[in-house]
């Protein structure tokens, strides 16, 4: 796919991995729809300004991806603003930490509503447009947690396993219409999830600072010895947008900490 001038929706695009993906696509000339919650609109506007400084069009759109009404309205607004949609990046996601016996049902439901149902609803809303134009890309953000389970994050792992299964099934459905569907499985990216959720828990269990806990974890788990970045994930997204003959894949970007 030619990225210069393409229209890309990036959910959860206000910050972190989503902003990194949006930036990498914008550098290739794609026009970006940043779709995120109203509560992070300030961050979304900041990302928009950075993208526009690259010389591309960008706009923000409020959406809760777990609401079909909001998702359908967001996609309609993007098409009204830009005229079409070529790329959907399902990046919006949440995480909660708890062992199964103490996991709250509401937390389990939230994770599946955003990570799984949100991916489904956005794909459902965009798919008819991609089918009609006989071209497009859908990229779902899974995780290394969708390849191997870990203690304390059962709901998150289960949701990301589900995203990979959904990706494979949708790739079969969309293939006849020249639309590829792939997943990216990030490793340890020091984004909101790590800073606000994972690092504090890891730090408490190890008796060190959150930054030290993250650094120690990387040294222990990652063969390349360094964390991944939002830029790394964005580069993979650019590749998948350009790759005409790759579909149904779940590509690890983990520095070697996940190898299957």
């Amino acid at each position: 796919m030619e990225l210069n001038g393409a229209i890309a929706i990036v959910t959860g695009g206000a910050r972190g991995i989503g902003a990194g993906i949006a930036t990498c696509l914008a550098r290739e000339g794609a026009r970006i729809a940043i779709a995120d919650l109203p509560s992070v609109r300030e961050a979304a506007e900041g990302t928009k300004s950075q993208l526009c400084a690259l010389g591309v069009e960008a706009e923000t759109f409020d959406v809760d991806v777990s609401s079909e009404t909001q998702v359908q309205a967001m996609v309609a607004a993007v098409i009204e603003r830009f005229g079409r949609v070529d790329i959907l990046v399902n990046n919006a996601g949440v995480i909660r930490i708890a062992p199964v016996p103490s996991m709250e049902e509401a937390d389990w439901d939230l994770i599946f509503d955003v990570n799984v149902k949100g991916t489904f609803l956005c794909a459902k809303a965009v798919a008819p447009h991609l089918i009609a134009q006989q071209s497009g890309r859908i990229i779902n953000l899974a995780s290394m947690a969708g390849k191997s389970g870990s203690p304390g994050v059962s709901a998150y792992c289960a949701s990301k396993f589900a995203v990979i299964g959904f990706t494979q099934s949708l790739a079969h459905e969309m293939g006849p219409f020249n639309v590829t569907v792939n997943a990216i499985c990030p490793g340890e990216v020091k984004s909101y999830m790590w800073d606000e959720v994972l690092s504090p828990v890891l730090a408490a269990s190890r008796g060190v600072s959150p930054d030290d806990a993250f650094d120690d974890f990387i040294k222990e788990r990652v063969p390349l010895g360094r964390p991944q970045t939002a830029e790394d994930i964005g580069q993979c997204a650019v590749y998948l947008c350009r790759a005409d003959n790759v579909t149904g894949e779940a590509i690890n970007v983990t520095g070697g900490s996940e190898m299957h």
Side-chain angles (χ1 to χ4, degrees):
M1 171 182 283
E2 171 57 54
L3 289 178
N4 188 31
I7 311 302
I9 298 174
V10 182
T11 70
R15 58 188 179 179
I17 289 174
I21 292 171
T23 300
C24 287
L25 291 174
R27 286 182 190 144
E28 303 302 319
R31 294 176 284 173
I32 309 295
I34 303 164
D36 217 320
L37 292 166
S39 60
V40 295
R41 188 179 297 135
E42 183 176 351
E45 290 293 339
T47 297
K48 172 186 171 180
S49 296
Q50 294 171 13
L51 299 181
C52 290
L54 296 173
V56 300
E57 292 182 77
E59 191 54 82
T60 62
F61 298 85
D62 291 341
V63 69
D64 175 349
V65 298
S66 68
S67 164
E68 182 164 19
T69 300
Q70 290 191 36
V71 168
Q72 291 285 347
M74 178 271 290
V75 171
V78 170
I79 292 172
E80 181 178 1
R81 168 66 175 79
F82 291 104
R84 60 186 286 140
V85 94
D86 300 294
I87 300 161
L88 169 65
V89 180
N90 280 311
N91 168 74
V94 296
I95 190 171
R96 295 291 185 271
I97 298 177
V100 170
S102 58
M103 169 70 70
E104 295 290 340
E105 182 180 0
D107 287 338
W108 178 280
D109 289 344
L110 173 65
I111 289 169
F112 270 77
D113 279 349
V114 176
N115 297 2
V116 184
K117 187 170 79 169
T119 296
F120 154 68
L121 290 176
C122 290
K124 178 183 178 181
V126 167
H129 305 282
L130 303 184
I131 289 171
Q133 63 199 30
Q134 294 285 294
S135 67
R137 301 286 187 264
I138 297 175
I139 299 172
N140 300 321
L141 268 291
S143 170
M144 61 184 291
K147 297 288 188 73
S148 300
S150 298
V153 285
S154 58
Y156 185 75
C157 290
S159 74
K160 294 304 186 178
F161 270 82
V163 167
I164 292 174
F166 176 74
T167 297
Q168 293 173 353
S169 292
L170 188 60
H172 281 287
E173 294 183 12
M174 299 297 286
F177 306 103
N178 193 35
V179 177
T180 68
V181 186
N182 291 287
I184 302 174
C185 299
E188 289 84 8
V189 179
K190 202 170 189 299
S191 61
Y192 174 82
M193 281 189 183
W194 265 102
D195 288 341
E196 300 297 324
V197 182
L198 297 170
S199 286
V201 172
L202 197 61
S205 68
R206 296 185 176 210
V208 297
S209 73
D211 284 342
D212 286 342
F214 180 79
D215 291 342
D216 291 344
F217 188 84
I218 296 302
K219 292 174 184 175
E220 295 166 7
R221 291 284 301 273
V222 183
L224 287 178
R226 55 181 178 266
Q228 290 70 68
T229 67
E231 172 88 9
D232 294 331
I233 312 307
Q235 289 173 1
C236 186
V238 168
Y239 163 73
L240 288 173
C241 286
R242 285 188 167 144
D244 291 332
N245 209 27
V246 176
T247 197
E249 299 297 330
I251 299 178
N252 301 327
V253 185
T254 69
S257 55
E258 179 59 59
M259 295 187 180
H260 76 281

